Amino acid sequence: MSDRRRAILEGAARVIARRGVRGLRVTDLAAEAGVSTALIYYHFKDRTGILRHALAFIGDRADRYTGAVDEVGAAPSTVDPHRLLERILLLEFQDLPEVRENSTAWGELRAHTIFDPELRDELTAAGAAWVEEVAGLLAAVCPAAPGTAVTAAAERLTALLEGLSGRWLSGLLPAAHARDLMRGAIGVEIGQLGSLTT
């Protein structure tokens, strides 16, 4: 990705996080990114293109900060899946500007689709990929559990994380408490899955 394209997408994430999707104006984005509006239209064609690419950028950035490598050089296959599951979910509650911005922008994009379905397919696909990742880790922890139960547990955990994230970002819940609640929910789901057999 070119530096200018990255600057535009970083700027889009910041503007969406601060002003919401409805507050995203191409002229404001150009000022935020330090580029011309013509360059934005060259790269993304229209406002919907900006939003689609911003959503993908936010997802990729979340993958980087919740990355699947636990210790330096440790491949995902060598890491305990329970520990890795906790890692990818709990790292969503880091009090870092990039994480707060990402989580806020994701929430704004999700809320936008309630009134305007233009991003619904992309958001659905991103959510499904996240559920699939969590389900894969749950299945590794509880290999005897039925696939439907594993998927349902992954859906509950990701939905809970989104709700806790909204409370944390709005100041209604301290990050440490959100992490404790999430850790407890992971334990409950794994306990329930562990009691099932195929």
Side-chain angles (χ1 to χ4, degrees):
M1 176 184 309
S2 73
D3 289 345
R4 285 186 172 178
R5 188 176 174 91
R6 177 177 299 282
I8 294 167
L9 292 172
E10 288 173 348
R14 281 192 301 273
V15 172
I16 291 167
R18 274 197 317 262
R19 299 183 188 160
V21 173
R22 290 181 180 172
L24 178 67
R25 306 282 181 264
V26 176
T27 53
D28 296 339
L29 174 55
E32 183 76 30
V35 299
S36 68
T37 57
L39 187 65
I40 292 172
Y41 286 119
Y42 170 78
H43 281 292
F44 303 105
K45 296 190 177 160
D46 57 20
R47 188 172 182 279
T48 301
I50 295 165
L51 293 174
R52 284 195 171 109
H53 285 88
L55 177 63
F57 174 78
I58 289 164
D60 290 345
R61 192 161 68 171
D63 287 345
R64 285 195 307 274
Y65 65 72
T66 61
V69 175
D70 199 347
E71 273 108 29
V72 176
S77 61
T78 64
V79 177
D80 171 51
H82 185 162
R83 187 173 175 196
L84 186 54
L85 176 63
E86 283 192 351
R87 175 187 168 86
I88 68 168
L89 295 177
L90 298 179
L91 284 177
E92 290 288 345
F93 299 106
Q94 298 177 77
D95 199 15
L96 300 171
E98 180 180 82
V99 176
R100 292 181 73 85
E101 179 181 284
N102 233 43
S103 294
T104 304
W106 175 265
E108 290 292 334
L109 287 161
R110 189 177 64 245
H112 175 71
T113 63
I114 294 169
F115 305 104
D116 188 346
E118 68 185 346
L119 295 179
R120 196 166 291 156
D121 290 343
E122 289 87 349
L123 199 64
T124 299
W130 192 32
V131 167
E132 185 178 333
E133 180 182 3
V134 171
L137 291 168
L138 286 168
V141 175
C142 303
T148 54
V150 169
T151 300
E155 289 174 340
R156 285 189 294 271
L157 287 174
T158 55
L160 175 63
L161 190 140
E162 287 180 354
L164 290 174
S165 179
R167 289 183 180 194
W168 163 61
L169 289 166
S170 61
L172 301 175
L173 193 66
H177 188 53
R179 283 191 291 270
D180 288 343
L181 291 170
M182 196 74 235
R183 198 176 285 113
I186 293 167
V188 167
E189 294 293 352
I190 289 173
Q192 288 181 340
L193 291 173
S195 69
L196 301 174
T197 56
T198 54

